[in-house]
């Protein structure tokens, strides 16, 4: 990308991905959980053909605005896929 910082999509996607982890006292470790809200969003986006092309999405200047929920869902799904 030629940038010194991660693209917003990567940064926020990682935050959403790891934000779903939960500490388990019994096993004394973090357990991964699916972010169901983001999963529902991205599935709706695919059904409606409202996703943004990856090339465009990764260089987009921001994650916010009127499409914030869609942007975050797409960012989360990118990290989940990887």
């Amino acid at each position: 990308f030629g940038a010194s910082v991660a693209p917003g999509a990567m940064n926020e996607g990682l935050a959403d991905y790891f934000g779903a982890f939960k500490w388990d006292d019994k096993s004394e470790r973090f357990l991964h959980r699916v972010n169901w809200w983001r999963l529902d969003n991205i599935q709706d986006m695919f059904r409606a053909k409202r996703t943004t092309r990856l090339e465009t999405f990764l260089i987009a200047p921001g994650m916010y605005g009127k499409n914030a929920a869609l942007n975050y869902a797409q960012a989360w799904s990118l990290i989940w896929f990887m």
Side-chain angles (χ1 to χ4, degrees):
F1 294 81
S4 60
V5 295
M10 298 298 290
N11 186 38
E12 298 298 343
L14 285 165
D16 262 0
Y17 178 82
F18 286 108
F21 278 65
K22 179 183 177 189
W23 178 254
D24 180 60
D25 288 327
K26 187 176 180 180
S27 66
E28 295 186 342
R29 64 186 185 119
F30 283 99
L31 303 176
H32 185 259
R33 301 180 304 168
V34 173
N35 186 329
W36 294 108
W37 179 51
R38 297 294 185 214
L39 180 60
D40 287 344
N41 287 157
I42 196 68
Q43 287 174 337
D44 290 344
M45 289 171 65
F46 272 102
R47 280 191 282 272
K49 298 181 181 355
R50 293 192 64 202
T51 57
T52 304
R53 290 184 56 85
L54 186 59
E55 300 89 0
T56 304
F57 186 67
L58 289 177
I59 62 170
M63 295 284 296
Y64 313 106
K66 67 178 183 166
N67 292 323
L70 304 179
N71 291 339
Y72 275 82
Q74 191 161 336
W76 170 82
S77 69
L78 175 63
I79 298 301
W80 180 269
F81 176 75
M82 294 193 314

